mmCIF file of all heavy atoms in Angstrom:
data_model
loop_
_atom_site.group_PDB
_atom_site.id
_atom_site.type_symbol
_atom_site.label_atom_id
_atom_site.label_comp_id
_atom_site.label_asym_id
_atom_site.label_seq_id
_atom_site.Cartn_x
_atom_site.Cartn_y
_atom_site.Cartn_z
ATOM 1 N N SER A 77 74.768 83.184 8.407
ATOM 2 C CA SER A 77 74.691 83.507 6.986
ATOM 3 C C SER A 77 73.678 84.671 6.783
ATOM 4 O O SER A 77 72.957 84.966 7.750
ATOM 5 C CB SER A 77 74.227 82.329 6.204
ATOM 6 O OG SER A 77 72.872 81.984 6.461
ATOM 7 N N ARG A 78 73.602 85.187 5.627
ATOM 8 C CA ARG A 78 72.614 86.236 5.361
ATOM 9 C C ARG A 78 71.211 85.754 5.597
ATOM 10 O O ARG A 78 70.407 86.459 6.289
ATOM 11 C CB ARG A 78 72.776 86.757 3.929
ATOM 12 C CG ARG A 78 71.759 87.858 3.598
ATOM 13 C CD ARG A 78 71.913 88.427 2.249
ATOM 14 N NE ARG A 78 71.569 87.497 1.123
ATOM 15 C CZ ARG A 78 71.483 87.794 -0.138
ATOM 16 N NH1 ARG A 78 71.798 89.073 -0.511
ATOM 17 N NH2 ARG A 78 71.170 86.949 -1.106
ATOM 18 N N ALA A 79 70.864 84.569 5.144
ATOM 19 C CA ALA A 79 69.543 84.011 5.301
ATOM 20 C C ALA A 79 69.287 83.737 6.857
ATOM 21 O O ALA A 79 68.157 84.035 7.298
ATOM 22 C CB ALA A 79 69.406 82.765 4.521
ATOM 23 N N GLU A 80 70.255 83.243 7.516
ATOM 24 C CA GLU A 80 70.029 82.951 8.986
ATOM 25 C C GLU A 80 69.885 84.291 9.749
ATOM 26 O O GLU A 80 69.112 84.306 10.661
ATOM 27 C CB GLU A 80 71.232 82.154 9.506
ATOM 28 C CG GLU A 80 71.300 80.757 8.957
ATOM 29 C CD GLU A 80 72.535 80.005 9.319
ATOM 30 O OE1 GLU A 80 73.585 80.657 9.665
ATOM 31 O OE2 GLU A 80 72.545 78.816 9.183
ATOM 32 N N LEU A 81 70.660 85.281 9.338
ATOM 33 C CA LEU A 81 70.525 86.572 10.011
ATOM 34 C C LEU A 81 69.109 87.158 9.831
ATOM 35 O O LEU A 81 68.458 87.607 10.790
ATOM 36 C CB LEU A 81 71.554 87.619 9.401
ATOM 37 C CG LEU A 81 71.595 88.946 9.962
ATOM 38 C CD1 LEU A 81 72.006 88.982 11.404
ATOM 39 C CD2 LEU A 81 72.533 89.849 9.115
ATOM 40 N N GLY A 82 68.618 87.081 8.612
ATOM 41 C CA GLY A 82 67.254 87.604 8.370
ATOM 42 C C GLY A 82 66.182 86.751 9.158
ATOM 43 O O GLY A 82 65.251 87.311 9.723
ATOM 44 N N ALA A 83 66.365 85.419 9.197
ATOM 45 C CA ALA A 83 65.421 84.556 9.907
ATOM 46 C C ALA A 83 65.513 84.836 11.427
ATOM 47 O O ALA A 83 64.440 84.823 12.077
ATOM 48 C CB ALA A 83 65.737 83.129 9.663
ATOM 49 N N SER A 84 66.661 85.118 11.907
ATOM 50 C CA SER A 84 66.820 85.375 13.387
ATOM 51 C C SER A 84 66.134 86.653 13.746
ATOM 52 O O SER A 84 65.404 86.651 14.765
ATOM 53 C CB SER A 84 68.320 85.426 13.723
ATOM 54 O OG SER A 84 68.433 85.844 15.091
ATOM 55 N N ILE A 85 66.359 87.695 12.994
ATOM 56 C CA ILE A 85 65.718 89.001 13.298
ATOM 57 C C ILE A 85 64.173 88.865 13.145
ATOM 58 O O ILE A 85 63.398 89.401 13.953
ATOM 59 C CB ILE A 85 66.270 90.074 12.381
ATOM 60 C CG1 ILE A 85 67.780 90.303 12.661
ATOM 61 C CG2 ILE A 85 65.509 91.417 12.504
ATOM 62 C CD1 ILE A 85 68.459 91.160 11.651
ATOM 63 N N ALA A 86 63.728 88.226 12.095
ATOM 64 C CA ALA A 86 62.365 88.111 11.823
ATOM 65 C C ALA A 86 61.615 87.339 12.983
ATOM 66 O O ALA A 86 60.543 87.651 13.449
ATOM 67 C CB ALA A 86 62.073 87.403 10.494
ATOM 68 N N ALA A 87 62.279 86.256 13.477
ATOM 69 C CA ALA A 87 61.682 85.444 14.577
ATOM 70 C C ALA A 87 61.637 86.287 15.880
ATOM 71 O O ALA A 87 60.656 86.138 16.608
ATOM 72 C CB ALA A 87 62.501 84.171 14.750
ATOM 73 N N ALA A 88 62.624 87.003 16.217
ATOM 74 C CA ALA A 88 62.695 87.706 17.441
ATOM 75 C C ALA A 88 61.821 88.945 17.473
ATOM 76 O O ALA A 88 61.260 89.249 18.566
ATOM 77 C CB ALA A 88 64.126 88.147 17.785
ATOM 78 N N PHE A 89 61.639 89.634 16.340
ATOM 79 C CA PHE A 89 60.925 90.918 16.357
ATOM 80 C C PHE A 89 59.698 90.981 15.514
ATOM 81 O O PHE A 89 59.006 91.931 15.430
ATOM 82 C CB PHE A 89 61.899 92.013 15.931
ATOM 83 C CG PHE A 89 63.014 92.326 16.865
ATOM 84 C CD1 PHE A 89 64.268 91.784 16.663
ATOM 85 C CD2 PHE A 89 62.789 93.137 17.947
ATOM 86 C CE1 PHE A 89 65.319 91.990 17.549
ATOM 87 C CE2 PHE A 89 63.842 93.360 18.850
ATOM 88 C CZ PHE A 89 65.100 92.783 18.653
ATOM 89 N N ASP A 90 59.418 89.847 14.869
ATOM 90 C CA ASP A 90 58.183 89.656 14.010
ATOM 91 C C ASP A 90 58.168 90.797 12.982
ATOM 92 O O ASP A 90 57.191 91.571 12.859
ATOM 93 C CB ASP A 90 56.942 89.766 14.875
ATOM 94 C CG ASP A 90 55.685 89.369 14.070
ATOM 95 O OD1 ASP A 90 55.855 88.655 13.148
ATOM 96 O OD2 ASP A 90 54.566 89.763 14.474
ATOM 97 N N VAL A 91 59.316 90.889 12.269
ATOM 98 C CA VAL A 91 59.340 91.966 11.177
ATOM 99 C C VAL A 91 59.699 91.215 9.866
ATOM 100 O O VAL A 91 60.290 90.180 9.905
ATOM 101 C CB VAL A 91 60.484 92.983 11.512
ATOM 102 C CG1 VAL A 91 60.112 93.822 12.719
ATOM 103 C CG2 VAL A 91 61.821 92.274 11.777
ATOM 104 N N PRO A 92 59.389 91.868 8.750
ATOM 105 C CA PRO A 92 59.737 91.245 7.431
ATOM 106 C C PRO A 92 61.120 91.462 7.088
ATOM 107 O O PRO A 92 61.415 92.147 6.082
ATOM 108 C CB PRO A 92 58.740 91.952 6.520
ATOM 109 C CG PRO A 92 58.593 93.371 7.140
ATOM 110 C CD PRO A 92 58.658 93.148 8.620
ATOM 111 N N ALA A 93 62.019 90.878 7.795
ATOM 112 C CA ALA A 93 63.518 91.104 7.583
ATOM 113 C C ALA A 93 63.954 90.730 6.244
ATOM 114 O O ALA A 93 64.885 91.341 5.671
ATOM 115 C CB ALA A 93 64.340 90.385 8.670
ATOM 116 N N ASP A 94 63.290 89.712 5.636
ATOM 117 C CA ASP A 94 63.685 89.255 4.331
ATOM 118 C C ASP A 94 63.705 90.393 3.220
ATOM 119 O O ASP A 94 64.390 90.347 2.260
ATOM 120 C CB ASP A 94 62.854 88.102 3.819
ATOM 121 C CG ASP A 94 63.183 86.825 4.551
ATOM 122 O OD1 ASP A 94 64.251 86.793 5.204
ATOM 123 O OD2 ASP A 94 62.436 85.864 4.482
ATOM 124 N N SER A 95 62.835 91.395 3.511
ATOM 125 C CA SER A 95 62.640 92.415 2.473
ATOM 126 C C SER A 95 63.818 93.400 2.519
ATOM 127 O O SER A 95 63.962 94.190 1.580
ATOM 128 C CB SER A 95 61.354 93.203 2.651
ATOM 129 O OG SER A 95 61.341 93.779 3.960
ATOM 130 N N TRP A 96 64.552 93.470 3.563
ATOM 131 C CA TRP A 96 65.703 94.429 3.692
ATOM 132 C C TRP A 96 67.052 93.874 4.076
ATOM 133 O O TRP A 96 67.970 94.552 4.229
ATOM 134 C CB TRP A 96 65.375 95.672 4.510
ATOM 135 C CG TRP A 96 64.480 95.431 5.701
ATOM 136 C CD1 TRP A 96 63.138 95.549 5.745
ATOM 137 C CD2 TRP A 96 64.828 95.092 7.073
ATOM 138 N NE1 TRP A 96 62.604 95.340 6.995
ATOM 139 C CE2 TRP A 96 63.685 95.006 7.841
ATOM 140 C CE3 TRP A 96 66.011 94.804 7.700
ATOM 141 C CZ2 TRP A 96 63.684 94.680 9.198
ATOM 142 C CZ3 TRP A 96 66.072 94.516 9.004
ATOM 143 C CH2 TRP A 96 64.893 94.422 9.795
ATOM 144 N N ILE A 97 67.099 92.527 4.199
ATOM 145 C CA ILE A 97 68.301 91.883 4.568
ATOM 146 C C ILE A 97 69.292 91.826 3.386
ATOM 147 O O ILE A 97 70.485 91.597 3.455
ATOM 148 C CB ILE A 97 68.091 90.447 5.127
ATOM 149 C CG1 ILE A 97 69.274 89.965 5.968
ATOM 150 C CG2 ILE A 97 67.838 89.460 4.000
ATOM 151 C CD1 ILE A 97 69.480 90.723 7.248
ATOM 152 N N GLY A 98 68.738 92.119 2.178
ATOM 153 C CA GLY A 98 69.503 92.032 0.944
ATOM 154 C C GLY A 98 70.707 92.912 0.858
ATOM 155 O O GLY A 98 71.548 92.732 -0.016
ATOM 156 N N ILE A 99 70.825 93.888 1.704
ATOM 157 C CA ILE A 99 71.962 94.749 1.722
ATOM 158 C C ILE A 99 73.250 93.966 2.090
ATOM 159 O O ILE A 99 74.371 94.398 1.636
ATOM 160 C CB ILE A 99 71.816 95.976 2.719
ATOM 161 C CG1 ILE A 99 72.928 96.970 2.478
ATOM 162 C CG2 ILE A 99 71.742 95.471 4.170
ATOM 163 C CD1 ILE A 99 72.775 98.274 3.236
ATOM 164 N N VAL A 100 73.142 92.920 2.783
ATOM 165 C CA VAL A 100 74.201 91.994 3.128
ATOM 166 C C VAL A 100 74.453 91.178 1.932
ATOM 167 O O VAL A 100 73.528 90.479 1.438
ATOM 168 C CB VAL A 100 73.934 91.209 4.378
ATOM 169 C CG1 VAL A 100 75.087 90.304 4.684
ATOM 170 C CG2 VAL A 100 73.653 92.053 5.632
#
Side-chain angles (χ1 to χ4, degrees):
S77 69
R78 179 175 71 173
E80 290 170 346
L81 180 65
S84 176
I85 295 171
F89 293 98
D90 191 25
V91 294
D94 285 349
S95 64
W96 32 268
I97 200 70
I99 189 173
V100 180

